[in-house]
């Protein structure tokens, strides 16, 4: 096979144009090709830049600066009948992809998920969004697919890892559009990701993975040597050889149980803030061309005494209530595949160092409760950004997409004085980068669940530092943030187990 780089085409081109361009570069006719990567070069007249793979005879004849030999790696693990049981706690991205890989390697896998399957979960989330009635076990954070199910399902990550292709391929095999495998800014959208996750679960069930939805792990079972031997739920005890914990950043009760069992856990830095909303047209207009894909996004970063940055930008999306506890308020963002709400939202977060709090969960929950106490309902805090900058409080310039309504609140009361100064400097900086950012935007919040306040420290074999056969993974263990990084973490853990007795890759 040949890998051909640097094939440049104008934005509006057809598949035939691409085929002709490949043939021109090769000076040879081809019957088919596979796109490996497509990125945008918007430095001058916007162009798409492709990398493709083709199969033709006498490959050596065609080699050049942009054309090299290529061997497709088979990233699936070696299959062996293994007599060991892996229990996976939590079925978010880390749980899903560790389960998938361990199944492929031949392990017996049992998944415990405290929330419900998607169809039931959708009803609970809809009820909350419409009527404000929250189910603490089935919500935006908890249930089949984990926290990323009611999201934009952006698949971007700054991590470079061969297993990214493996993950994207699994998404595509279970219903995602093929373009996620090569687009630079791929996103699936909440409507489509829900179907895909359901398909993956059905497939895993058909391959023998056992699922226990609606069943929360309440405790872990340890022997005298501090080795995990199983888990306890309200339905009974279950033995296992390995326990993979991917319970997410909202499972503070489970983390407390681990702490009581003596599992080594340390504090880590977090970030807090709010969401901003703007007319999507304001974001699009600042780009070189409205045709340019991903022109609808932004990533803003300000480095003062503390970092302030935009996070999880959802073009054409909506702000949602993302709490898992009653009488608290937590905001987050999601969008449908079409990204057509006309409103852009994104979190604006400031770093909070671990020295600034005693217990991170208590610190975050006090902010979430403060918001609920102020509004006496699930209505979120809201303020015009320009009013925040000028210490004023006026009617919102437009209504937020947050479905449960908002109350006017002065965010100057929310942050520490020193942090306020940095946030305002950052917003001025963002306004220079996106003119109108201050005058045309509103802020809605609080946003407190973008990061996890603890890390369950692991050794070089990905095992807990002081508890054998406990493998903490994903965001709730402090080892990921986002769908792809948590999925990759799940695969890392699965590979560590597979390596004990077999080969981690087929070739
Ligand atoms: C609204 C929203 C939008 C987001 N949008 C994006 C996005 O567009 N792109 C992106 O990359 N990231 C996004 N994220 C972040 C991303 O979803 C998370 O980083 C990721 O889901 C974390 O994966 P995880 O496997 O570590 O845990 P989670 O996805 O949090 O899953 C943990 C699971 O464990 C279960 N659980 C908890 N305790 C127990 C227990 N004791 N027993 C059994 N089960 C338990 C929970 O019910 C949950 O389903 C978003 C998050 C939210 C909330």
């Amino acid at each position: 096979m040949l890998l051909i780089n640097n094939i440049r085409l104008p934005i509006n081109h057809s598949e035939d144009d691409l085929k002709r361009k490949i043939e021109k570069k090769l000076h040879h006719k081809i019957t088919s090709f596979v796109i490996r990567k497509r990125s945008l070069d918007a430095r001058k007249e916007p162009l798409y830049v492709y990398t493709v793979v083709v199969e033709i005879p006498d490959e050596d004849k065609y080699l050049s600066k942009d054309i090299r030999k290529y061997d497709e790696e088979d990233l699936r693990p070696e299959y062996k009948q293994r007599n060991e049981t892996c229990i996976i706690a939590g079925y978010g991205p880390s749980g899903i992809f560790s389960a998938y890989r361990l199944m492929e390697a031949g392990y017996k896998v049992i998944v415990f998920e405290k929330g419900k399957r998607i169809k039931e979960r959708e009803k609970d989330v809809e009820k909350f969004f419409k009527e404000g009635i929250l189910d603490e076990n089935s919500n935006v954070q908890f249930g089949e697919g984990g926290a990323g199910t009611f999201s934009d399902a952006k698949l971007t990550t700054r991590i470079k890892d061969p297993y990214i292709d493996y993950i994207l391929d699994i998404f595509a095999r279970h219903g995602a559009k093929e373009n996620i495998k090569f687009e630079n800014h791929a996103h699936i959208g909440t409507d489509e990701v829900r179907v895909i996750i359901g398909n993956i679960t059905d497939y895993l069930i058909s391959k023998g993975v056992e699922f226990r939805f609606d069943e929360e792990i309440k405790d872990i079972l340890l022997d005298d040597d501090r080795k995990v031997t199983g888990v306890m739920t309200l339905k009974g005890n279950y033995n296992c050889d390995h326990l993979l914990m991917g319970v997410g950043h909202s499972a503070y009760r489970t983390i407390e149980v681990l702490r009581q069992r003596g599992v080594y856990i340390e504090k880590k830095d977090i970030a807090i803030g709010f969401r901003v909303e703007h007319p999507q047209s304001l974001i699009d207009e600042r780009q070189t061309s409205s045709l340019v894909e991903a022109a609808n996004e932004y990533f803003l970063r300000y480095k003062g005494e503390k970092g302030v940055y935009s996070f999880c930008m959802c073009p054409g999306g909506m702000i949602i209530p993302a709490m898992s506890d009653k009488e608290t308020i937590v905001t987050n963002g999601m969008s449908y595949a079409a990204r057509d709400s006309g409103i852009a939202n994104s979190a604006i977060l400031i770093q909070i160092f671990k020295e600034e709090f005693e217990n991170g969960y208590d610190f975050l929950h006090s902010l979430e409760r403060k918001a609920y106490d102020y509004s006496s309902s699930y209505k979120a805090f809201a303020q015009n950004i320009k009013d925040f900058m000028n210490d004023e409080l006026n009617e919102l310039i437009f209504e937020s997409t947050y479905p449960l309504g908002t109350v006017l609140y002065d965010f100057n009361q929310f942050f520490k004085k020193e942090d306020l100064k940095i946030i305002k400097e950052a917003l001025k900086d963002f306004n220079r980068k996106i003119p109108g950012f201050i005058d045309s935007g509103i802020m809605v919040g609080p946003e407190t669940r973008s990061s996890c306040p603890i890390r369950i420290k692991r050794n070089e074999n990905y095992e807990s530092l002081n508890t054998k056969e406990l493998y903490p993974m994903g965001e709730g263990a402090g080892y990921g943030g986002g769908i792809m990084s948590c999925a990759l973490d799940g695969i890392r853990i699965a590979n560590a187990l597979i390596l004990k007795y077999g080969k981690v890759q087929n070739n």
Side-chain angles (χ1 to χ4, degrees), residues 162-395:
Y163 284 99
I164 286 174
D165 287 346
Y166 171 85
I167 294 166
L168 295 176
D169 190 54
I170 290 176
F171 275 126
R173 265 191 279 142
H174 295 283
K177 295 189 181 90
E178 283 288 317
N179 69 334
I180 64 154
K181 287 172 38 179
F182 55 80
E183 286 306 351
N184 237 0
H185 289 257
H187 93 115
I188 299 181
T190 181
D191 38 351
E192 294 186 6
V193 84
R194 292 178 209 172
V195 178
I196 296 160
I197 299 290
N199 292 344
I200 293 178
T201 311
D202 291 341
Y203 172 74
L204 292 179
I205 292 171
S206 77
K207 292 287 176 187
V209 175
E210 191 178 324
F211 278 87
R212 295 185 163 269
F213 284 102
D214 229 343
E215 194 167 347
E216 179 176 356
I217 290 177
K218 294 284 188 189
D219 208 343
I220 56 170
L221 309 175
L222 291 173
D223 69 9
D224 294 343
D225 198 24
R226 284 202 63 76
K227 176 171 171 287
V228 172
T229 56
V231 297
M232 191 199 94
T233 76
L234 289 182
K235 294 187 181 159
N237 290 354
Y238 302 83
N239 294 331
C240 67
D241 298 285
H242 316 286
L243 173 60
L244 290 77
M245 288 290 264
V247 290
H249 62 14
S250 294
Y252 61 93
R253 291 195 182 97
T254 309
I255 301 301
E256 190 46 40
V257 169
L258 296 185
R259 204 192 295 275
Q260 282 167 13
R261 291 277 164 251
V263 174
Y264 183 84
I265 297 172
E266 60 184 26
K267 286 203 285 185
K268 72 180 226 347
D269 298 344
I270 50 171
I272 59 165
F274 46 84
R275 288 248 146 200
V276 288
E277 286 192 306
H278 293 92
Q280 183 64 51
S281 54
L282 180 95
I283 311 303
D284 297 348
E285 273 161 19
R286 100 202 139 96
Q287 303 288 347
T288 46
S289 158
S290 60
L291 288 171
V292 179
E293 190 192 33
N296 49 7
E297 293 182 29
Y298 59 78
F299 178 65
L300 300 164
R301 183 176 283 276
Y302 173 78
K303 244 181 153 325
E305 282 163 53
K306 280 179 167 188
V308 178
Y309 54 95
S310 68
F311 180 73
C312 184
M313 202 249 155
C314 299
M318 62 188 281
I319 298 182
I320 56 166
M323 35 284 202
S324 49
D325 292 295
K326 286 190 175 147
E327 303 192 353
T328 60
I329 295 182
V330 178
T331 55
N332 212 308
M334 74 173 195
S335 31
Y336 291 89
R339 284 182 163 173
D340 59 359
S341 76
I343 300 289
N345 80 70
S346 151
I348 301 291
L349 304 171
I350 183 162
Q351 279 180 300
I352 304 290
F353 299 118
K354 56 179 185 276
E355 295 74 23
E356 295 181 72
F357 51 80
E358 194 62 43
N359 175 315
Y361 288 115
D362 290 348
F363 171 70
L364 295 172
H365 293 162
S366 70
L367 297 174
E368 296 163 6
R369 275 194 298 271
K370 177 176 164 176
Y372 183 87
D373 290 346
Y374 183 87
S375 78
S376 303
S377 69
Y378 290 116
K379 289 182 178 172
F381 287 168
Q383 186 176 23
N384 295 316
I385 303 180
K386 68 174 173 216
D387 289 346
F388 170 67
M389 300 301 279
N390 299 328
D391 294 336
E392 289 176 8
L393 201 56
N394 296 299
E395 281 306 303

